[in-house]
Amino acid sequence: MSALEPGRCRASWMSAARRYARLAALTLVAGGALAASPRSAPAQEETERDTAELIGQVVSASTGLPIEGARVILLGSGYGAITDAEGNFRVPRTWAGRDSVEVRYIGYEAGYTIIDLAPEQTTRVTLTLSSTVIRIADLTVEVRQTRRARNLAGFVERMEKGFGTFFTPRDIINRNPRLPSDLLRGLPNVAVGRVEYGRAEVFLGEGARLGCPPALYMDGMYQAGMQFDDLEKEVLGAVEVYKRDVETPMEFMRTGSTCGAIVVWTPDGPGFLDWAGELPDPFE
């Protein structure tokens, strides 16, 4: 009996070795299956998104004519473009899927459109903008603008009253802002946000706490839905800034607005060159 013990030990050892080999093989197979499992794919899929191209044209809803210089922004991805002389624009790369398109241009109501962008394809759209018009039915209103609201005659007069902040043509040239909002950076009670997609939000006085932008006027006319950085810096001839409603002149106040006002006078506006030429030192 004792002579057979070594053989039995060898058989037992070989049996255990074979079981270990089978277990190791199963472990390798299972490990390979886990490595090939799609459970590891989401991290890669999350970084890869389908892209698309958007092209189109922006036209006036009333005339059908193309609008040059309109700003087109895809709110979901943040990509955008500016229309050319024919009103055409092109966003060569954006995320595929549903997105909202915002269109803005001075003198027009901001337009919003929902679109579906097919993956790896070009989507063409025609976007329309409506002019800013207020219609009152069965009522005739005669509007007589004051001279100060019509042109620059009241600029120095308002400045001498001590309310508001004023930038003369010389001030603007000296500051040389890259964006209109850069003109206001560093002023007390003025909040200028980070530049995103070519513009920064501007809030004046209480508007910073309330999160509402100031009313924007250009050559005495209210620009509905527009912000300061929607303007090109070349249109800044002279600027008036009113941070509180109590200091804002009546001609630049909006009903119920407590967010202040920014008044821009353009070099091409009526009487600007004559006015600028008559400014005494240090304003000229």
Side-chain angles (χ1 to χ4, degrees):
M1 187 71 177
S2 60
L4 296 175
E5 287 298 326
R8 288 183 179 179
C9 290
R10 286 194 298 271
S12 177
W13 179 85
M14 292 179 64
S15 177
R18 284 195 294 271
R19 287 198 300 271
Y20 177 79
R22 285 198 298 270
L23 180 61
L26 289 173
T27 302
L28 288 173
V29 170
L34 289 174
S37 172
R39 292 183 180 180
S40 61
Q44 181 179 4
E45 291 176 358
E46 289 178 358
T47 60
E48 295 179 358
R49 296 183 59 178
D50 292 327
T51 60
E53 180 184 39
L54 176 66
I55 61 175
Q57 185 181 40
V58 177
V59 300
S60 170
S62 58
T63 65
L65 296 176
I67 298 177
E68 179 183 3
R71 188 188 299 269
V72 181
I73 299 177
L74 289 157
L75 299 181
S77 66
Y79 294 106
I82 303 295
T83 58
D84 60 18
E86 300 299 323
N88 296 319
F89 68 91
R90 176 174 178 260
V91 181
R93 183 180 182 274
T94 183
W95 304 130
R98 176 157 293 192
D99 207 333
S100 179
V101 182
E102 177 188 79
V103 187
R104 289 181 176 270
Y105 187 69
I106 300 171
Y108 289 81
E109 295 283 359
Y112 298 90
T113 303
I114 302 296
I115 60 171
D116 289 307
L117 299 165
E120 309 304 328
Q121 294 187 27
T122 298
T123 301
R124 180 185 296 273
V125 296
T126 299
L127 307 173
T128 59
L129 286 178
S130 300
S131 301
T132 303
V133 178
I134 300 176
R135 294 184 175 87
I136 303 177
D138 302 324
L139 180 64
T140 301
V141 179
E142 181 181 356
V143 179
R144 295 183 180 179
Q145 285 186 311
T146 65
R147 187 182 178 194
R148 286 177 298 181
R150 221 176 26 245
N151 53 46
L152 280 159
F155 185 96
V156 175
E157 178 184 342
R158 291 189 291 272
M159 182 167 55
E160 290 175 347
K161 288 182 178 180
F163 298 108
T165 303
F166 295 79
F167 296 92
T168 66
R170 180 57 59 189
D171 294 329
I172 296 172
I173 291 173
N174 289 340
R175 281 181 173 256
N176 190 27
R178 185 174 60 89
L179 294 171
S181 60
D182 293 335
L183 192 66
L184 309 183
R185 290 188 183 275
L187 294 181
N189 295 321
V190 174
V192 181
R194 294 174 55 187
V195 177
E196 296 182 352
Y197 314 126
R199 67 178 180 178
E201 289 187 315
V202 173
F203 299 104
L204 309 177
E206 287 296 309
R209 182 176 62 84
L210 300 174
C212 60
L216 179 65
Y217 290 81
M218 190 164 66
D219 291 333
M221 298 296 295
Y222 174 61
Q223 305 298 313
M226 299 298 293
Q227 298 185 31
F228 197 29
D229 271 356
D230 288 328
L231 305 178
E232 302 293 333
K233 69 174 184 177
E234 287 76 17
V235 306
L236 303 181
V239 177
E240 305 176 37
V241 180
Y242 299 99
K243 306 169 189 175
R244 300 177 299 164
D245 55 333
V246 295
E247 67 182 29
T248 306
M250 289 296 298
E251 56 263 37
F252 304 129
M253 289 189 68
R254 304 291 298 172
T255 302
S257 174
T258 59
C259 303
I262 299 177
V263 183
V264 177
W265 302 100
T266 69
D268 296 328
F272 180 87
L273 295 180
D274 293 338
W275 171 84
E278 295 175 357
L279 282 177
D281 289 332
F283 304 126
E284 63 179 4

